[in-house]
């Protein structure tokens, strides 16, 4: 019996933003000689290297958003409209992080008009029977992607602590199947993503409705069974409820133009990190020397 490969899928945007703000809060931008800040990009690489040393994957993929405008903005003008623009110190670090990822030997993925979440969901759909999959992110929306062979490791503290959700843990805690989670989100809305759901229905009520009825359509079909206040709220927001479900649902059919074998974890060599160090990426080189035996 052969052991299944282990695929580590990295939400690149989540780790880049997390790394940037963790150090920017203290004014640590860690600049190159020309003044370009590197704190987020270097932190992203260090985080992935450490995760790899802990989780020991055989394969690795890094997923990115490809610009702020996606098909969800076409569906709803208010989608993520309330999010502030990234700080100016972060702007050069998006391309920098992707370049560093390539130089490390990790394959980057992103599809115009789609979010990184959609690419992650499509990878899981494509390879869940081929490999055991761990996704690193900070985005709870990804809970809907859990399968018996897929776990989500949410960043918790530093580079080493995670809150890991498995398919079994989710069902035990939420009392629904992972794929029903987007329907819960549709009722409760998401202030971060800028869609309201049904005004007046919070997380607990939203979960109870899906636990009880199983789907948005069945809730709508059973409105007469609900308390008058709840019934009125839903009746007045049916269109937004259905739109919110569309916005909350992660796509799983984005074309992934790669063979699984191309994602094999690379071997790391001293000259790679020496070259990075010479260009000013000293924290990456230091981390690499502490994690790997490099001759």
């Amino acid at each position: 019996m052969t052991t299944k490969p282990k695929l580590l899928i990295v939400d690149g945007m989540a780790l880049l933003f997390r790394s940037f703000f963790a150090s920017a809060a203290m004014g640590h931008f860690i600049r190159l000689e020309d003044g370009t800040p590197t704190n987020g990009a270097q932190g992203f690489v260090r985080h992935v290297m450490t995760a790899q040393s802990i989780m020991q994957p055989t394969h690795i993929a890094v997923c990115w958003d490809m610009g702020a405008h996606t098909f969800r903005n076409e569906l709803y003008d208010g989608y993520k409209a309330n999010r502030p623009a990234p700080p100016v110190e972060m702007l050069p670090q998006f391309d920098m992080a992707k370049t560093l990822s390539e130089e490390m030997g990790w394959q980057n993925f992103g599809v115009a008009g789609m979010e990184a979440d959609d690419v992650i969901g499509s990878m899981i759909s494509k390879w869940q029977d081929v490999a055991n999959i761990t996704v690193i992110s900070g985005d709870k929306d990804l809970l809907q992607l859990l399968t018996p062979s897929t776990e989500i490791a949410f960043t918790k503290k530093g580079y080493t602590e995670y809150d890991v959700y498995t398919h079994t843990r989710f069902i035990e805690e939420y009392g629904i199947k992972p794929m029903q989670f987007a329907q819960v989100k549709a009722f409760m809305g998401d202030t971060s993503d800028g869609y309201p759901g049904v005004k007046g229905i919070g997380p607990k009520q939203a979960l109870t409705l899906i636990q009880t009825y199983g789907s948005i359509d069945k809730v709508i079909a059973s409105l007469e069974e609900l308390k008058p206040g709840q019934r009125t709220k839903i009746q007045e927001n049916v269109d937004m409820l259905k739109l919110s479900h569309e916005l909350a649902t992660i796509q799983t059919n984005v074309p992934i133009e790669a063979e699984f074998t191309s994602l094999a974890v690379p071997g790391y060599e001293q000259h790679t990190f020496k070259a990075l160090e010479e260009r000013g990426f000293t924290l990456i080189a230091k981390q690499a020397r502490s994690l790997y035996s490099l001759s």
Side-chain angles (χ1 to χ4, degrees):
M1 183 177 172
T2 55
T3 305
K4 254 181 154 183
K6 183 169 184 180
L7 171 62
L8 179 64
I9 302 177
V10 177
D11 182 344
M13 301 303 287
L15 295 196
L16 178 61
F17 272 93
R18 178 183 172 85
S19 297
F20 176 84
F21 285 109
S23 47
M26 298 172 284
H28 296 162
F29 293 110
I30 314 161
R31 299 178 186 274
L32 298 178
E33 279 189 10
D34 65 2
T36 306
T38 70
N39 60 318
Q42 289 207 77
F44 151 74
V45 174
R46 294 169 69 202
H47 201 141
V48 177
M49 284 195 296
T50 305
Q52 185 188 329
S53 70
I54 295 168
M55 299 174 184
Q56 296 291 307
T58 57
H59 296 72
I60 190 167
V62 185
C63 297
W64 302 94
D65 292 343
M66 301 298 284
H69 194 87
T70 70
F71 78 95
R72 291 179 178 86
N73 300 101
E74 301 294 331
L75 292 172
Y76 181 53
D77 284 345
Y79 186 73
K80 292 190 177 179
N82 57 347
R83 292 199 180 182
V88 65
E89 292 89 356
M90 195 171 183
L91 297 179
Q93 299 193 60
F94 292 107
D95 286 341
M96 182 189 294
K98 291 173 190 172
T99 300
L100 288 169
S101 178
E102 287 177 3
E103 291 176 359
M104 290 295 296
W106 308 328
Q107 198 164 338
N108 292 322
F109 291 87
V111 177
M114 310 302 288
E115 294 182 38
D117 289 2
D118 302 309
V119 180
I120 292 168
S122 301
M123 281 189 176
I124 292 169
S125 178
K126 185 179 176 77
W127 288 317
Q128 62 183 335
D129 295 330
V130 174
N132 291 318
I133 299 172
T134 299
V135 180
I136 295 179
S137 182
D139 185 355
K140 290 291 195 289
D141 289 349
L142 296 178
L143 287 169
Q144 65 188 270
L145 300 176
L146 286 165
T147 74
S149 62
T150 303
E151 63 182 18
I152 314 288
F154 293 110
T155 50
K156 194 174 176 185
K157 187 179 179 183
Y159 294 156
T160 59
E161 292 187 28
Y162 295 92
D163 184 17
V164 180
Y165 267 85
T166 62
H167 189 260
T168 301
R169 177 186 171 188
F170 178 88
I171 292 170
E172 287 173 353
E173 288 189 14
Y174 285 84
I176 59 174
K177 294 177 182 177
M179 67 179 65
Q180 294 172 292
F181 187 61
Q183 308 212 32
V184 176
K185 290 292 300 278
F187 275 107
M188 60 187 268
D190 189 320
T191 53
S192 172
D193 284 344
Y195 59 88
V198 177
K199 290 176 182 176
I201 291 186
K204 286 184 180 178
Q205 284 188 66
L207 181 58
T208 300
L209 284 168
I210 298 302
Q211 286 171 337
T212 304
Y213 295 99
S215 72
I216 290 168
D217 288 343
K218 287 179 181 174
V219 171
I220 293 171
S222 308
L223 285 175
E224 294 307 314
E225 298 175 17
L226 304 180
K227 293 177 181 177
Q230 203 174 49
R231 180 168 65 240
T232 301
K233 288 171 188 171
I234 295 171
Q235 283 174 327
E236 291 176 351
N237 291 278
V238 166
D239 289 344
M240 180 51 72
L241 173 60
K242 291 180 176 179
L243 177 58
S244 295
H245 183 223
E246 211 171 341
L247 295 170
T249 300
I250 295 173
Q251 301 298 302
T252 58
N253 57 358
V254 176
I256 304 297
E257 306 293 345
E259 296 295 326
F260 184 76
T261 51
S262 71
L263 306 181
V265 167
Y268 300 118
E269 296 183 18
Q270 177 68 33
H271 66 81
T272 299
F273 300 106
K274 191 169 186 298
L276 288 172
E277 191 169 38
E278 287 171 354
R279 282 161 46 208
F281 297 104
T282 55
L283 295 180
I284 294 174
K286 185 179 178 182
Q287 183 95 343
R289 282 194 285 268
S290 72
L291 290 173
Y292 311 117
S293 299
L294 297 170
S295 55

